[in-house]
Amino acid sequence: MTTGTPAIIQATDLQHLIATGSAPRLIDVRSPGEFETAHIPGSYNVPLDLLREHRDELRAHLDEQVVLVCRSGQRAATAEAALAAAGLPNVRVLHGGITAWQAVGAPICTGRARWDLERQVRLTAGSIVLVAVLASVVFPPAKWVAAFIGAGLTFAALSNTCAMGMLLSKLPYNRGPRTDLDGVVAALAGPRP
């Protein structure tokens, strides 16, 4: 039974668990592109949409302590709710996500640099609003495009979801190495990294 508020773990506490050999299973729910850019050593990439769709299959491979990681903690909290609904106990969310992990100077694996999804959403939404406002000088109904984006951002903040971010995560730029259920299950069933 979930309370709606996920159990959290601080970056320093997680770092201590890893250093003492008591590392929980680390599941990073960001896009493969974000994961490739920077991730905690030993973590597994299970993008949020894949986790939500196949939570019952994944549950069979997550019978120990699990810590969910994303950029800031929001997607990890969504993943925690999905795993809790599948009956998985012992799931915590890294408070502040990979951002907090990096802030405490914890070890990180890096790859090709990419913008994180939040930054991409800000660029896309801002660009659409700017173009719509400029276009409204010539074509006044274009202002409604800016209003639609504003309404979408307001809804995203109130519901703690982001349709634009989910759409942007599907772009080839954000995909990085292909992550599918068979690959994730094979990695979870194999020896720990």
Side-chain angles (χ1 to χ4, degrees):
M1 175 142 187
T2 182
T3 63
T5 303
I8 62 168
I9 185 169
Q10 300 296 328
T12 52
D13 295 333
L14 178 58
Q15 190 176 14
H16 175 74
L17 286 174
I18 292 170
T20 60
S22 305
R25 183 82 66 143
L26 301 174
I27 305 295
D28 193 316
V29 299
R30 296 174 300 149
S31 72
E34 289 174 292
F35 182 81
E36 184 181 41
T37 297
H39 62 272
I40 299 171
S43 60
Y44 298 87
N45 185 218
V46 184
L48 180 57
D49 56 346
L50 181 77
L51 184 140
R52 283 192 296 210
E53 184 178 344
H54 299 286
R55 66 184 181 200
D56 294 323
E57 294 97 326
L58 294 169
R59 187 204 183 291
H61 300 282
L62 298 172
D63 58 353
E64 55 200 83
Q65 294 286 327
V66 173
V67 172
L68 299 167
V69 179
C70 67
R71 181 185 171 281
S72 64
Q74 291 180 336
R75 284 179 276 176
T78 301
E80 187 274 339
L83 291 174
L88 185 65
N90 305 322
V91 178
R92 292 180 283 177
V93 170
L94 176 59
H95 183 71
I98 197 83
T99 303
W101 183 258
Q102 289 173 304
V104 299
I108 198 99
C109 292
T110 58
R112 188 175 129 215
R114 290 185 173 93
W115 282 11
D116 61 52
L117 278 177
E118 182 181 319
R119 187 175 182 189
Q120 292 177 48
V121 167
R122 290 192 309 255
L123 174 68
T124 303
S127 298
I128 292 170
V129 169
L130 177 63
V131 168
V133 168
L134 293 175
S136 71
V137 172
V138 177
F139 183 66
K143 69 182 176 205
W144 294 109
V145 173
F148 176 75
I149 296 298
L153 291 172
T154 301
F155 177 78
L158 293 173
S159 66
N160 201 22
T161 63
C162 185
M164 187 180 289
M166 288 186 279
L167 289 173
L168 289 172
S169 73
K170 306 279 188 219
L171 294 175
Y173 171 81
N174 289 316
R175 290 201 178 167
R178 192 172 190 303
T179 305
D180 62 5
L181 180 62
D182 293 335
V184 168
V185 168
L188 291 172
R192 287 183 135 212

